Amino acid sequence: MELRQMEYILMIQEEKSITRAAERLFLTQSALNQQLQKLEEELGTPLFIRTRSDWKPTPAGQVCIEAAKNILNIKKDACSRIQDMADTSRRTFSVGLIPERGVDMFTAIYPEFHRRFPHVILEPQECNVRTMQKSITKGQLDLGLITLTEEQKDENTYLHMADEEIFLAVPSIHPLAFLGSPNAADAPDIDLGNFSGDSFIQISQSSTMYQLSERLFEEAGFAPHVLFYTVSNVSKYRMVLAGIGCALLPAVFAVPNENAVFFRLKQHPAWEITMCCRKDAYLSTAEKAFLDLCRRYWELQ
């Protein structure tokens, strides 16, 4: 089994289609099919159950896929170790960034990283948390900035950066606004149930915050009237400023403004900001330095 064949079967398994896999690999379908048949002949057994709509690995194929993942990860780690030993400055690693805050962090720390490692190519990729987790597990991403709760963690390694509290933001014209504070740091505690008759701008179900938000509403004893769902906490905040509705916001988005007031919820809900990497992955000198810059950034927030 050759390394390129391992990459091929992983792509077929991911796409569940030899046609789509060939497109992503920039190969013709016939060329990819020939490589798969060659590997199956070498191993003496089919690796995929072929249908028009869905290719599924056979038991032997699943063994082959797991082995391919491990071998390619070992190869990747070995190359990083050797480059560090040889003090090779030209290298590349990828970083997954959640929208909004991920970009803010990256633009804040990249100038210092580039000054220290001018020949290292750092590839930022914006994506949601679940996509990032899967890509890190597969070895398609090296590091990822992730916000989540403890129960949302998978088998990857999570490096703690900060804990972030979740606040309730309401328009300053709200009847209960006089009880709140324009500064989240001074916000008083309140029961979310007091806002059961209000409209909310809710986070999209694709966000890791959705599960946390839904639990808070359930504990408060009501299902909110949702005006709309969005992936953007900035959009939620702006709707509060416009007097349209209320929103649950992570602390970094609870910015003082005369058109909004903030409350702490009685549970003091929070989630974790972490940098994620593949379990047991070797981190290069440049990657460790990037992580140190990330920690310093979040310590100052």
Side-chain angles (χ1 to χ4, degrees), residues 27-45:
L27 295 171
T28 63
Q29 182 176 333
S30 60
L32 181 56
N33 194 50
Q34 288 175 6
Q35 286 296 322
L36 176 59
Q37 290 177 344
K38 179 180 177 182
L39 180 58
E40 289 177 328
E41 289 174 3
E42 176 186 334
L43 297 174
T45 185

PDB file of all heavy atoms in Angstrom, residues 27-45:
ATOM      1  N   LEU A  27      -8.029  14.290 -10.124  1.00  0.00           N
ATOM      2  CA  LEU A  27      -7.779  13.106 -10.933  1.00  0.00           C
ATOM      3  C   LEU A  27      -9.004  12.813 -11.776  1.00  0.00           C
ATOM      4  O   LEU A  27     -10.112  13.265 -11.459  1.00  0.00           O
ATOM      5  CB  LEU A  27      -7.495  11.887 -10.046  1.00  0.00           C
ATOM      6  CG  LEU A  27      -6.239  11.897  -9.170  1.00  0.00           C
ATOM      7  CD1 LEU A  27      -6.276  10.701  -8.222  1.00  0.00           C
ATOM      8  CD2 LEU A  27      -4.990  11.862 -10.016  1.00  0.00           C
ATOM      9  N   THR A  28      -8.820  12.038 -12.838  1.00  0.00           N
ATOM     10  CA  THR A  28      -9.989  11.545 -13.556  1.00  0.00           C
ATOM     11  C   THR A  28     -10.583  10.395 -12.752  1.00  0.00           C
ATOM     12  O   THR A  28      -9.892   9.730 -11.973  1.00  0.00           O
ATOM     13  CB  THR A  28      -9.612  11.037 -14.953  1.00  0.00           C
ATOM     14  OG1 THR A  28      -8.719   9.912 -14.822  1.00  0.00           O
ATOM     15  CG2 THR A  28      -8.938  12.144 -15.770  1.00  0.00           C
ATOM     16  N   GLN A  29     -11.866  10.163 -12.938  1.00  0.00           N
ATOM     17  CA  GLN A  29     -12.513   9.082 -12.203  1.00  0.00           C
ATOM     18  C   GLN A  29     -11.898   7.736 -12.556  1.00  0.00           C
ATOM     19  O   GLN A  29     -11.698   6.882 -11.688  1.00  0.00           O
ATOM     20  CB  GLN A  29     -14.009   9.062 -12.503  1.00  0.00           C
ATOM     21  CG  GLN A  29     -14.766   7.982 -11.724  1.00  0.00           C
ATOM     22  CD  GLN A  29     -16.266   8.048 -11.952  1.00  0.00           C
ATOM     23  OE1 GLN A  29     -16.797   9.114 -12.251  1.00  0.00           O
ATOM     24  NE2 GLN A  29     -16.945   6.923 -11.824  1.00  0.00           N
ATOM     25  N   SER A  30     -11.550   7.544 -13.819  1.00  0.00           N
ATOM     26  CA  SER A  30     -10.962   6.267 -14.237  1.00  0.00           C
ATOM     27  C   SER A  30      -9.593   6.050 -13.598  1.00  0.00           C
ATOM     28  O   SER A  30      -9.263   4.931 -13.183  1.00  0.00           O
ATOM     29  CB  SER A  30     -10.848   6.214 -15.766  1.00  0.00           C
ATOM     30  OG  SER A  30     -10.020   7.269 -16.249  1.00  0.00           O
ATOM     31  N   ALA A  31      -8.803   7.134 -13.465  1.00  0.00           N
ATOM     32  CA  ALA A  31      -7.484   7.004 -12.849  1.00  0.00           C
ATOM     33  C   ALA A  31      -7.606   6.636 -11.374  1.00  0.00           C
ATOM     34  O   ALA A  31      -6.868   5.774 -10.869  1.00  0.00           O
ATOM     35  CB  ALA A  31      -6.703   8.299 -13.005  1.00  0.00           C
ATOM     36  N   LEU A  32      -8.547   7.259 -10.680  1.00  0.00           N
ATOM     37  CA  LEU A  32      -8.748   6.944  -9.273  1.00  0.00           C
ATOM     38  C   LEU A  32      -9.281   5.528  -9.113  1.00  0.00           C
ATOM     39  O   LEU A  32      -8.850   4.793  -8.214  1.00  0.00           O
ATOM     40  CB  LEU A  32      -9.717   7.948  -8.648  1.00  0.00           C
ATOM     41  CG  LEU A  32     -10.022   7.761  -7.157  1.00  0.00           C
ATOM     42  CD1 LEU A  32      -8.743   7.762  -6.323  1.00  0.00           C
ATOM     43  CD2 LEU A  32     -10.970   8.847  -6.657  1.00  0.00           C
ATOM     44  N   ASN A  33     -10.174   5.138  -9.979  1.00  0.00           N
ATOM     45  CA  ASN A  33     -10.739   3.783  -9.907  1.00  0.00           C
ATOM     46  C   ASN A  33      -9.660   2.735 -10.152  1.00  0.00           C
ATOM     47  O   ASN A  33      -9.638   1.676  -9.503  1.00  0.00           O
ATOM     48  CB  ASN A  33     -11.868   3.642 -10.925  1.00  0.00           C
ATOM     49  CG  ASN A  33     -12.707   2.397 -10.681  1.00  0.00           C
ATOM     50  OD1 ASN A  33     -13.154   2.151  -9.560  1.00  0.00           O
ATOM     51  ND2 ASN A  33     -12.897   1.591 -11.714  1.00  0.00           N
ATOM     52  N   GLN A  34      -8.734   3.019 -11.053  1.00  0.00           N
ATOM     53  CA  GLN A  34      -7.633   2.087 -11.316  1.00  0.00           C
ATOM     54  C   GLN A  34      -6.749   1.917 -10.094  1.00  0.00           C
ATOM     55  O   GLN A  34      -6.327   0.791  -9.772  1.00  0.00           O
ATOM     56  CB  GLN A  34      -6.803   2.577 -12.511  1.00  0.00           C
ATOM     57  CG  GLN A  34      -7.489   2.428 -13.859  1.00  0.00           C
ATOM     58  CD  GLN A  34      -6.676   3.050 -14.983  1.00  0.00           C
ATOM     59  OE1 GLN A  34      -5.548   3.491 -14.786  1.00  0.00           O
ATOM     60  NE2 GLN A  34      -7.266   3.110 -16.181  1.00  0.00           N
ATOM     61  N   GLN A  35      -6.467   3.021  -9.408  1.00  0.00           N
ATOM     62  CA  GLN A  35      -5.648   2.941  -8.194  1.00  0.00           C
ATOM     63  C   GLN A  35      -6.351   2.149  -7.097  1.00  0.00           C
ATOM     64  O   GLN A  35      -5.716   1.369  -6.378  1.00  0.00           O
ATOM     65  CB  GLN A  35      -5.331   4.356  -7.690  1.00  0.00           C
ATOM     66  CG  GLN A  35      -4.299   5.092  -8.533  1.00  0.00           C
ATOM     67  CD  GLN A  35      -2.938   4.421  -8.500  1.00  0.00           C
ATOM     68  OE1 GLN A  35      -2.490   3.903  -7.476  1.00  0.00           O
ATOM     69  NE2 GLN A  35      -2.260   4.414  -9.657  1.00  0.00           N
ATOM     70  N   LEU A  36      -7.649   2.333  -6.970  1.00  0.00           N
ATOM     71  CA  LEU A  36      -8.410   1.581  -5.975  1.00  0.00           C
ATOM     72  C   LEU A  36      -8.420   0.098  -6.315  1.00  0.00           C
ATOM     73  O   LEU A  36      -8.201  -0.749  -5.437  1.00  0.00           O
ATOM     74  CB  LEU A  36      -9.841   2.115  -5.895  1.00  0.00           C
ATOM     75  CG  LEU A  36     -10.792   1.358  -4.964  1.00  0.00           C
ATOM     76  CD1 LEU A  36     -10.267   1.357  -3.519  1.00  0.00           C
ATOM     77  CD2 LEU A  36     -12.190   1.955  -5.024  1.00  0.00           C
ATOM     78  N   GLN A  37      -8.646  -0.229  -7.570  1.00  0.00           N
ATOM     79  CA  GLN A  37      -8.659  -1.637  -7.978  1.00  0.00           C
ATOM     80  C   GLN A  37      -7.289  -2.284  -7.779  1.00  0.00           C
ATOM     81  O   GLN A  37      -7.198  -3.439  -7.358  1.00  0.00           O
ATOM     82  CB  GLN A  37      -9.086  -1.743  -9.446  1.00  0.00           C
ATOM     83  CG  GLN A  37     -10.556  -1.416  -9.675  1.00  0.00           C
ATOM     84  CD  GLN A  37     -10.936  -1.469 -11.151  1.00  0.00           C
ATOM     85  OE1 GLN A  37     -10.063  -1.454 -12.029  1.00  0.00           O
ATOM     86  NE2 GLN A  37     -12.224  -1.529 -11.419  1.00  0.00           N
ATOM     87  N   LYS A  38      -6.242  -1.521  -8.043  1.00  0.00           N
ATOM     88  CA  LYS A  38      -4.885  -2.033  -7.844  1.00  0.00           C
ATOM     89  C   LYS A  38      -4.647  -2.375  -6.379  1.00  0.00           C
ATOM     90  O   LYS A  38      -4.073  -3.430  -6.053  1.00  0.00           O
ATOM     91  CB  LYS A  38      -3.876  -0.989  -8.317  1.00  0.00           C
ATOM     92  CG  LYS A  38      -2.415  -1.400  -8.141  1.00  0.00           C
ATOM     93  CD  LYS A  38      -1.486  -0.294  -8.630  1.00  0.00           C
ATOM     94  CE  LYS A  38      -0.022  -0.662  -8.398  1.00  0.00           C
ATOM     95  NZ  LYS A  38       0.890   0.443  -8.842  1.00  0.00           N
ATOM     96  N   LEU A  39      -5.121  -1.489  -5.487  1.00  0.00           N
ATOM     97  CA  LEU A  39      -4.952  -1.728  -4.054  1.00  0.00           C
ATOM     98  C   LEU A  39      -5.787  -2.921  -3.600  1.00  0.00           C
ATOM     99  O   LEU A  39      -5.320  -3.755  -2.811  1.00  0.00           O
ATOM    100  CB  LEU A  39      -5.350  -0.478  -3.267  1.00  0.00           C
ATOM    101  CG  LEU A  39      -5.242  -0.560  -1.741  1.00  0.00           C
ATOM    102  CD1 LEU A  39      -3.821  -0.912  -1.312  1.00  0.00           C
ATOM    103  CD2 LEU A  39      -5.673   0.760  -1.116  1.00  0.00           C
ATOM    104  N   GLU A  40      -7.002  -3.032  -4.099  1.00  0.00           N
ATOM    105  CA  GLU A  40      -7.871  -4.153  -3.725  1.00  0.00           C
ATOM    106  C   GLU A  40      -7.291  -5.482  -4.216  1.00  0.00           C
ATOM    107  O   GLU A  40      -7.373  -6.504  -3.521  1.00  0.00           O
ATOM    108  CB  GLU A  40      -9.272  -3.935  -4.292  1.00  0.00           C
ATOM    109  CG  GLU A  40     -10.025  -2.812  -3.582  1.00  0.00           C
ATOM    110  CD  GLU A  40     -11.397  -2.538  -4.171  1.00  0.00           C
ATOM    111  OE1 GLU A  40     -11.552  -2.725  -5.407  1.00  0.00           O
ATOM    112  OE2 GLU A  40     -12.308  -2.158  -3.431  1.00  0.00           O
ATOM    113  N   GLU A  41      -6.686  -5.473  -5.399  1.00  0.00           N
ATOM    114  CA  GLU A  41      -6.041  -6.693  -5.903  1.00  0.00           C
ATOM    115  C   GLU A  41      -4.844  -7.071  -5.036  1.00  0.00           C
ATOM    116  O   GLU A  41      -4.601  -8.250  -4.752  1.00  0.00           O
ATOM    117  CB  GLU A  41      -5.593  -6.473  -7.352  1.00  0.00           C
ATOM    118  CG  GLU A  41      -6.751  -6.401  -8.345  1.00  0.00           C
ATOM    119  CD  GLU A  41      -6.291  -6.030  -9.742  1.00  0.00           C
ATOM    120  OE1 GLU A  41      -5.052  -5.877  -9.942  1.00  0.00           O
ATOM    121  OE2 GLU A  41      -7.136  -5.875 -10.632  1.00  0.00           O
ATOM    122  N   GLU A  42      -4.092  -6.057  -4.613  1.00  0.00           N
ATOM    123  CA  GLU A  42      -2.935  -6.304  -3.742  1.00  0.00           C
ATOM    124  C   GLU A  42      -3.360  -6.912  -2.407  1.00  0.00           C
ATOM    125  O   GLU A  42      -2.721  -7.831  -1.886  1.00  0.00           O
ATOM    126  CB  GLU A  42      -2.188  -4.999  -3.500  1.00  0.00           C
ATOM    127  CG  GLU A  42      -1.011  -5.109  -2.539  1.00  0.00           C
ATOM    128  CD  GLU A  42      -0.402  -3.766  -2.211  1.00  0.00           C
ATOM    129  OE1 GLU A  42      -0.523  -2.836  -3.025  1.00  0.00           O
ATOM    130  OE2 GLU A  42       0.208  -3.644  -1.121  1.00  0.00           O
ATOM    131  N   LEU A  43      -4.484  -6.408  -1.846  1.00  0.00           N
ATOM    132  CA  LEU A  43      -4.959  -6.881  -0.547  1.00  0.00           C
ATOM    133  C   LEU A  43      -5.849  -8.104  -0.653  1.00  0.00           C
ATOM    134  O   LEU A  43      -6.117  -8.779   0.341  1.00  0.00           O
ATOM    135  CB  LEU A  43      -5.716  -5.749   0.171  1.00  0.00           C
ATOM    136  CG  LEU A  43      -4.875  -4.503   0.505  1.00  0.00           C
ATOM    137  CD1 LEU A  43      -5.759  -3.407   1.069  1.00  0.00           C
ATOM    138  CD2 LEU A  43      -3.763  -4.861   1.489  1.00  0.00           C
ATOM    139  N   GLY A  44      -6.351  -8.378  -1.866  1.00  0.00           N
ATOM    140  CA  GLY A  44      -7.149  -9.570  -2.079  1.00  0.00           C
ATOM    141  C   GLY A  44      -8.587  -9.481  -1.610  1.00  0.00           C
ATOM    142  O   GLY A  44      -9.232 -10.521  -1.390  1.00  0.00           O
ATOM    143  N   THR A  45      -9.114  -8.243  -1.471  1.00  0.00           N
ATOM    144  CA  THR A  45     -10.501  -8.098  -1.006  1.00  0.00           C
ATOM    145  C   THR A  45     -11.018  -6.703  -1.359  1.00  0.00           C
ATOM    146  O   THR A  45     -10.244  -5.744  -1.416  1.00  0.00           O
ATOM    147  CB  THR A  45     -10.591  -8.305   0.519  1.00  0.00           C
ATOM    148  OG1 THR A  45     -11.965  -8.272   0.921  1.00  0.00           O
ATOM    149  CG2 THR A  45      -9.820  -7.246   1.270  1.00  0.00           C
TER     150      THR A  45
END
